[in-house]
Amino acid sequence: MIARLNCAKALAALAALTVAGPTAADLGAGDFEGLANRIFAVEARVVYSVDPTLPEGTVFENCYSFNADGTWFDPLYPDLGSAVPGVWVQYAESPKILYSATVSESAVSGGPYAGLLLTQNGIVNTTEDNGRQKLLAYTTVYFEGFPIIDVVANGRSVASCPYF
């Protein structure tokens, strides 16, 4: 429960920074140059879950892709082999990149995934570490408006996803 509260506080702080930010439709392709065409390989940890198949403490590898056209891709959401794209918005570039990514309920329709929504808020350290940017992301999956899974991910930029 403490992990859930700490994650909630971090999400709230990051959301406060991004609430007044532009939407993907407001931004031109040039505005995406900080994260555009970047892929991050991450280690993700479940910090809150009501899903017995993905309990708290579960650690897994994943990737996040930021395309120049504003689309965002998580190959595991909502399930490996059934992934759907979302959108991402970058809010600041220096000294750290702040961003949010969303996969809407309408993008995840039908079957067992109906009613799911994913939101991710993240920070990318623009100071390169051995030529790779570092990412810290907080992801929440909602079912019909209620949070069901919170994930914290740490990773580095890579040329291609090494996991899938």
Side-chain angles (χ1 to χ4, degrees):
M1 187 62 166
I2 292 174
R4 170 87 172 128
L5 292 174
N6 288 338
C7 186
K9 288 178 186 177
L11 286 169
L14 191 54
L17 293 172
T18 60
V19 166
T23 65
D26 295 331
L27 299 174
D31 295 317
F32 292 112
E33 63 190 11
L35 288 177
N37 297 319
R38 300 233 190 257
I39 299 169
F40 290 86
V42 299
E43 179 180 276
R45 177 179 299 279
V46 177
V47 295
Y48 171 79
S49 178
V50 298
D51 181 350
T53 65
L54 194 64
E56 290 178 28
T58 299
V59 176
F60 58 94
E61 296 172 329
N62 199 4
C63 292
Y64 305 135
S65 299
F66 297 82
N67 300 316
D69 65 359
T71 57
W72 177 85
F73 191 71
D74 171 345
L76 293 179
Y77 184 78
D79 196 4
L80 184 61
S82 303
V84 295
V87 296
W88 66 277
V89 178
Q90 180 175 310
Y91 297 102
E93 188 167 340
S94 183
K96 294 182 180 186
I97 297 172
L98 303 177
Y99 75 90
S100 63
T102 305
V103 180
S104 69
E105 286 184 60
S106 62
V108 184
S109 59
Y113 306 120
L116 290 178
L117 165 72
L118 177 146
T119 63
Q120 182 178 98
N121 292 295
I123 301 169
V124 175
N125 186 341
T126 58
T127 303
E128 298 197 15
D129 176 29
N130 293 326
R132 297 186 293 181
Q133 294 175 318
K134 296 184 209 175
L135 175 137
L136 172 62
Y138 300 92
T139 304
T140 300
V141 176
Y142 298 87
F143 177 69
E144 296 183 353
F146 295 97
I148 60 169
I149 298 170
D150 286 337
V151 175
V152 176
N154 289 286
R156 292 186 175 1
S157 63
V158 293
S160 63
C161 180
Y163 309 126
F164 310 105

